[in-house]
Amino acid sequence: MTDGIEDPGTVASAVLSAVVARVTALADRLGVPQAEVFDAARLSVACGVPEPVIKKLLSGRPAGEPDVQARFLQRLDLLRRTRLKPDRRRYTQQEIADGAGMSRQQAGALINGDRRPTMEHCDAIQRFFRVHAGFLTAEDPEALAGALQRTEQELLQRLADREREAAAADDPLERLLQNHGVRGIAWRAAQLPTDQHRDKVAEWLDMLLESVKRPES
């Protein structure tokens, strides 16, 4: 820290350490192998950080490319290798230029490192490849932390699904609601054209729900 201002690199490293700890705890709770959630190849594709840098960062060592243009070139190369056309071929410079709204000369200069990218260039290329904002420019610890935060959200969803399934197994009424799609039926019934139709569905649902009672607490 200098004059009360925190170094962005220090902040990014602290954020990364925190999210690694949370993902580790979630993976252990779900029984997911850490080799799966911290797979460097998968994370590299997700965030653009080279695999060797990811391995160093995950081990707690400082790493990363400090120059924004060098990071841009690394990640643009990764995008061209991993985000392919439907025929599994790479996008050409002309296709990137057309999709990003720039000339072929501009695209070629950016791809070859002959021109320093502006934020407008980065935004246009990120939209073309359909990646999140900052993919081409974020510092490596920040980019990796972002990818792991998305992993964290996926694990939290899996945990919520598992807990909901466990609750349904213990609750006959909740199990009925899920297995028979009762909530969906009720929603669709609301779209029926007449009260007579809706009353018929409501009568059937009443009979179905009446057949199963929650256990006394």
Side-chain angles (χ1 to χ4, degrees), residues 129-198:
F129 282 107
R130 298 182 180 180
V131 292
H132 57 272
F135 184 96
L136 291 168
T137 56
E139 293 187 1
D140 289 330
E142 179 186 355
L144 178 56
L148 286 172
Q149 285 168 344
R150 290 186 287 277
T151 297
E152 179 184 16
Q153 291 304 310
E154 293 169 3
L155 293 175
L156 285 169
Q157 184 60 55
R158 289 168 66 173
L159 180 62
D161 291 342
R162 190 176 75 174
E163 290 178 345
R164 185 164 54 251
E165 289 169 2
D170 294 336
D171 187 337
L173 181 55
E174 181 64 26
R175 188 166 60 248
L176 178 73
L177 293 175
Q178 288 193 14
N179 291 346
H180 292 273
V182 170
R183 291 189 178 93
I185 293 170
W187 182 85
R188 289 193 294 274
Q191 318 305 312
L192 292 173
T194 68
D195 289 340
Q196 183 179 4
H197 289 99
R198 288 189 287 272

Side-chain angles (χ1 to χ4, degrees), residues 11-25 38 145 148-149 152:
V11 173
S13 296
V15 171
L16 176 59
S17 297
V19 73
V20 166
R22 295 197 303 270
V23 169
T24 299
F38 294 116
L148 286 172
Q149 285 168 344
E152 179 184 16

Side-chain angles (χ1 to χ4, degrees), residues 76-77 79-99 111 125 127-130:
L76 180 54
D77 178 67
L79 286 176
R80 296 190 71 199
R81 288 186 287 107
T82 59
R83 273 65 167 185
L84 304 176
K85 295 188 288 186
D87 62 4
R88 308 305 298 167
R89 300 178 67 180
R90 292 190 185 193
Y91 287 99
T92 66
Q93 288 187 6
Q94 186 64 62
E95 289 168 332
I96 294 172
D98 292 343
I111 290 169
I125 293 171
R127 286 195 299 270
F128 173 74
F129 282 107
R130 298 182 180 180

Side-chain angles (χ1 to χ4, degrees), residues 102-145:
M102 62 181 71
S103 70
R104 185 181 183 283
Q105 289 73 22
Q106 282 181 312
L110 290 168
I111 290 169
N112 295 327
D114 297 329
R115 180 171 182 172
R116 197 169 184 85
T118 65
M119 291 307 298
E120 289 76 14
H121 291 142
C122 294
D123 289 343
I125 293 171
Q126 286 162 175
R127 286 195 299 270
F128 173 74
F129 282 107
R130 298 182 180 180
V131 292
H132 57 272
F135 184 96
L136 291 168
T137 56
E139 293 187 1
D140 289 330
E142 179 186 355
L144 178 56

